[in-house]
Amino acid sequence: MSKFKALFAIVLLVLFVASPVRAAQDTIKIGAAFALSGSIAVYGEGFKKCVDLAVDEINAKGGIKGKKIQIVYEDNKSTPKDCVMAVRKLITVDKVPVLFGPAGSSNFMAAAPVAQQSKVVMMSAQGTAEKLTQAGPYIFRIIPSNAKQGQRLAKLAFDMGYKKVPVMYVNNDWGLDLKDGFVDSFRKMGGVVTDVIPFDEKKTDYRTELLRANKGKPAAIVNLTYINEGSIQFKQAYEMSIKTQWLCGSAARAPKMVELAGKAAEGVIGTYPSIPQDTKQYKAFKEAYKKKYGDDKIPIFGDYNYDMVYLAVKAIEKGGYTAEGIRKALPAVAKGYKGVTGDKTFDAKRGMLNADMGLWTVKDGKIVDYKK
Amino acid sequence: MDIFLQSVVNGILAGCIYALFAMGLTLIYGVLNFVNFAHGELIMWGAYFLYLFISEPFSLPLSVAVAPAILCTVCLGMVMDFAIFRPLRKADRLTLLIAAMGLSFLLRNAAQFFWGAEVRTYGLEISRGFQFLGVSLTAQQILIIGVTVACVILVYLLFFRTSLGKSMRAVSDNLDLARVVGINARRSIRAAWIVSAALAGTGGILLALDTNLNPEMGVINLVKAFAATLIGGVGNLWGALLGGLIIGLAENLSVLVISPGYKDAVAFAIMVGILLTRPYLVTGKRTD
């Protein structure tokens, strides 16, 4: 009987201890706490596609010094609480020295202190909140912040001749931040914000909010909204015959939004951190995406996620597979690096130094660049 | 004035949806004496069943697909009862509550497994609403109000004009006593599940017609439906209808005066107020 017990113990040992250790030697693991379920899973699935695309490319070329890269996905369920759990699991169980943080500034900022305290590098490819990286020197973002976008949106409204506008915004860190950026710049230019209307995420009925925004029939309404929320709002506004020029931020700029809202989204104009699409990097990325997934509808922020993988891998190659090494190597490898999303040089706050802002609009059911 | 009238209409629309959900919720509470937290998933599955039947390989026209979709929702409701709640018939309220919550997660994740977490639509062409008195209403919205009224009438007829309805009310009043006088309790309970699931499926389809489909659509609105149930008195069908309309109107009218960021707070303030003044509703003691 004791022999049997010993055998049992050995089997257990092999199963639970030996295999992860061996796996760790074969591959280089990078964590990804993505929204694979919950309210913003509509984004998460797109990010994953682009991360997988970059990883496949790198692995096909031999990975990092012959070792394959493996992304350990952890579902953050789109809630701040589960984001913290997902990041903690990646750090303590999978022991990754670098991880891709959750989308949504609120979610990312909830989890950032965990990575900072554990001294693990955490990167964001879509968090645009001003304070995103304030948790500490291990937190990086490779997308421009909201203040720059808010300024651009204010300039757009002003240039189009809209001097008095109400502002609707999604009531979270992203919306609040962009709203502040917009309102500040717009007032400085001499514009008047007639009403400020926060709305909750994930609702199915925004009619009364829209009604209030449309009070006095403004020529334009600034609506800092998301894909799902935006599609419902534009639809309900269309049904109520609200005729106004919608001005949006970057989060609504998604083929999915247009698909859901149909013709109600026609003519919406917005700002977004622009990506020069005529570069050879962008064209190659688009080609590769089409080859792997069969369509060229690049998911929103997918290009940033793709760049994030390459930056992380370059930092591992240069600094070694330790958090400290990656942290130190990241600014160096990013300096002057031209990715799919342009120049990736970091500023002092570990955000993007350069930020080109583009304008988008919906024309004939497609998202295109807006030109006056 | 247009804005006020339109807000009232918006409130009634939201209220109709809440009421349809609340009626199903309160029906199960009345007969089985527990809050079915998985009711939100019946709503969501109802909407997704319709999506299933209008897409490949069935490709039925929308109006034809409604019947099999509601039928499937009813089957799901009966399977829920048969597999989970019937074995727990004698269990205490807490066990039932937790079982319902677990079932809710299971069903939501199952929907996500089959259709993904992304938002979907039935792909109906959107149209401008009809205008009268400065109020705009779309065909879908008129349908929502019409179907809600029809459901209320049907449920009324079932409850007060048929012997099955009578026995359901008897079971709801006192299960043991109903059994003693020879009422087939099992049949009444089954009927309650069928009606509750049919209401959920109908409400889910209407909600998805008016907005979009996503796996969380049930759960988000269930909280409001729950508040409506409490306001109307748990187990009381008319109360559920009234509660739904009160919540819908209160949250939509409040937006005219206070910041829309507090829209939910208004609904829940009313609910808390009711709980404080009529606390017997949650302790499980009957109101009548």
Side-chain angles (χ1 to χ4, degrees):
Chain A
M1 203 58 198
S2 66
K3 242 186 209 168
F4 190 76
K5 269 184 192 166
L7 188 71
F8 188 63
I10 288 166
V11 169
L12 272 184
L13 205 71
V14 168
L15 275 178
F16 289 97
V17 184
S19 56
V21 170
R22 261 191 53 209
Q25 286 167 346
D26 289 337
T27 57
I28 286 186
K29 281 192 198 171
I30 297 175
F34 279 7
L36 301 175
S37 67
S39 60
I40 56 170
V42 61
Y43 294 92
E45 286 174 11
F47 303 160
K48 185 172 178 294
K49 277 184 174 177
C50 292
V51 167
D52 287 344
L53 175 64
V55 169
D56 286 356
E57 285 174 9
I58 296 166
N59 282 342
K61 286 177 195 152
I64 300 177
K65 291 169 186 154
K67 285 183 185 172
K68 293 255 188 266
I69 301 159
Q70 185 205 342
I71 305 287
V72 186
Y73 288 103
E74 195 61 36
D75 183 9
N76 70 34
K77 303 195 178 94
S78 309
T79 69
K81 178 183 75 76
D82 288 298
C83 283
V84 171
M85 306 245 285
V87 167
R88 195 166 275 152
K89 190 242 163 195
L90 288 169
I91 293 172
T92 54
V93 178
D94 300 300
K95 299 202 182 342
V96 296
V98 55
L99 66 99
F100 305 145
S105 295
S106 322
N107 289 346
F108 188 92
M109 280 156 83
V114 178
Q116 173 62 30
Q117 278 154 24
S118 318
K119 293 197 163 44
V120 165
V121 176
M122 181 154 128
M123 300 170 74
S124 170
Q126 57 280 311
T128 50
E130 261 317 279
K131 297 171 181 163
L132 191 85
T133 56
Q134 72 175 6
Y138 284 85
I139 314 300
F140 292 83
R141 71 146 140 242
I142 64 155
I143 187 165
S145 76
N146 286 329
K148 292 191 164 107
Q149 201 188 151
Q151 284 164 15
R152 184 68 191 89
L153 192 59
K155 191 175 172 306
L156 171 73
F158 213 79
D159 288 350
M160 290 178 81
Y162 305 123
K163 309 273 153 71
K164 281 185 178 178
V165 292
V167 182
M168 298 174 67
Y169 67 95
V170 51
N171 202 357
N172 63 15
D173 280 340
W174 178 83
L176 199 64
D177 217 24
L178 191 53
K179 188 251 330 174
D180 286 345
F182 171 81
V183 169
D184 278 357
S185 309
F186 196 61
R187 284 196 177 135
K188 270 182 204 149
M189 290 173 188
V192 180
V193 176
T194 53
D195 199 357
V196 174
I197 302 155
F199 58 82
D200 285 329
E201 282 174 73
K202 300 199 284 190
K203 288 290 160 63
T204 47
D205 175 8
Y206 292 104
R207 292 192 185 93
T208 309
E209 283 91 336
L210 292 164
L211 213 56
R212 182 161 149 175
N214 195 42
K215 219 162 155 179
K217 310 245 182 305
I221 300 175
V222 172
N223 186 8
L224 309 170
T225 187
Y226 282 175
I227 297 176
N228 192 14
E229 287 75 4
S231 68
I232 295 174
Q233 287 160 351
F234 297 140
K235 229 157 97 174
Q236 293 180 341
Y238 185 92
E239 288 169 354
M240 292 194 291
S241 297
I242 293 178
K243 284 164 190 149
T244 189
Q245 175 61 56
W246 294 101
L247 299 174
C248 297
S250 54
R253 180 182 169 265
K256 188 84 198 172
M257 189 280 285
V258 183
E259 184 193 321
L260 292 172
K263 64 184 174 194
E266 202 65 22
V268 171
I269 300 176
T271 53
Y272 69 102
S274 99
I275 299 161
Q277 304 209 345
D278 46 2
T279 62
K280 69 171 195 295
Q281 286 92 339
Y282 193 88
K283 282 176 186 154
F285 165 68
K286 201 164 181 175
E287 195 54 41
Y289 185 89
K290 198 172 177 179
K291 202 171 156 199
K292 186 167 162 79
Y293 297 111
D295 65 68
D296 55 0
K297 285 184 187 171
I298 309 284
I300 185 170
F301 301 131
D303 27 29
Y304 285 98
N305 277 278
Y306 179 87
D307 274 353
M308 180 162 67
V309 178
Y310 272 94
L311 281 175
V313 166
K314 281 185 185 305
I316 294 171
E317 274 170 348
K318 185 181 164 74
Y321 188 56
T322 64
E324 192 56 27
I326 295 165
R327 180 180 77 85
K328 285 190 175 142
L330 252 180
V333 295
K335 192 167 186 202
Y337 175 77
K338 295 275 186 284
V340 172
T341 57
D343 182 55
K344 296 285 97 184
T345 308
F346 285 107
D347 64 8
K349 285 199 254 169
R350 299 170 304 286
M352 289 289 96
L353 185 68
N354 297 310
D356 289 326
M357 287 291 155
L359 300 174
W360 60 276
T361 187
V362 181
K363 204 180 166 208
D364 302 326
K366 282 210 170 66
I367 288 183
V368 293
D369 278 343
Y370 174 72
K371 283 174 199 87
K372 271 168 247 168
Chain B
M1 197 57 193
D2 318 351
I3 292 188
F4 177 75
L5 270 182
Q6 182 78 58
S7 296
V8 170
V9 170
N10 292 350
I12 290 173
L13 274 171
C16 282
I17 297 280
Y18 295 153
L20 277 178
F21 297 170
M23 276 163 66
L25 202 60
T26 216
L27 193 63
I28 293 298
Y29 186 92
V31 175
L32 292 173
N33 210 21
F34 81 100
V35 178
N36 181 16
F37 268 90
H39 193 70
E41 276 51 49
L42 277 178
I43 291 166
M44 178 265 294
W45 271 88
Y48 272 95
F49 277 132
L50 182 63
Y51 185 82
L52 175 77
F53 286 116
I54 60 167
S55 46
E56 298 277 326
F58 301 100
S59 306
L60 296 174
L62 197 73
S63 49
V64 180
V66 171
I70 291 179
L71 197 69
C72 284
T73 318
V74 168
C75 289
L76 181 66
M78 289 173 73
V79 169
M80 261 162 71
D81 184 48
F82 182 77
I84 311 283
F85 298 118
R86 207 162 89 176
L88 293 175
R89 203 72 92 209
K90 293 269 178 303
D92 59 75
R93 290 155 66 90
L94 190 66
T95 313
L96 282 166
L97 187 75
I98 291 175
M101 282 182 173
L103 187 61
S104 154
F105 277 103
L106 178 74
L107 287 174
R108 206 178 325 150
N109 284 313
Q112 209 162 297
F113 177 78
F114 290 120
W115 288 285
E118 61 176 321
V119 181
R120 287 165 191 277
T121 119
Y122 291 145
L124 283 187
E125 188 71 14
I126 57 163
S127 53
R128 300 252 187 230
F130 309 110
Q131 300 280 340
F132 47 89
L133 295 170
V135 173
S136 102
L137 260 182
T138 64
Q140 278 106 306
Q141 291 163 356
I142 294 169
L143 189 71
I144 290 179
I145 297 175
V147 170
T148 308
V149 171
C151 284
V152 169
I153 293 172
L154 283 176
V155 170
Y156 171 83
L157 291 177
L158 173 70
F159 266 66
F160 295 96
R161 290 284 181 272
T162 66
S163 67
L164 177 66
K166 206 172 193 176
S167 59
M168 279 166 81
R169 281 186 291 141
V171 169
S172 168
D173 267 352
N174 189 325
L175 180 64
D176 294 328
L177 199 61
R179 279 194 173 129
V180 167
V181 297
I183 285 170
N184 187 344
R186 185 171 279 190
R187 203 180 72 141
S188 303
I189 291 170
R190 195 165 57 218
W193 275 106
I194 291 173
V195 177
S196 170
L199 286 172
T202 311
I205 289 169
L206 289 175
L207 181 64
L209 272 178
D210 193 35
T211 59
N212 294 326
L213 291 106
N214 76 72
E216 311 227 340
M217 61 185 278
V219 116
I220 296 158
N221 287 291
L222 190 72
V223 191
K224 295 284 174 57
F226 187 55
T229 316
L230 285 175
I231 288 171
V234 185
N236 182 338
L237 271 173
W238 306 126
L241 177 66
L242 200 66
L245 288 173
I246 289 176
I247 294 230
L249 283 169
E251 57 177 22
N252 279 288
L253 289 176
S254 71
V255 171
L256 296 177
V257 250
I258 59 167
S259 165
Y262 304 111
K263 199 173 166 184
D264 282 357
V266 173
F268 292 114
I270 294 175
M271 186 182 98
V272 170
I274 296 282
L275 286 178
L276 286 174
T277 50
R278 299 168 69 189
Y280 46 80
L281 293 178
V282 271
T283 56
K285 279 183 214 144
R286 287 299 162 77
T287 51
D288 31 275

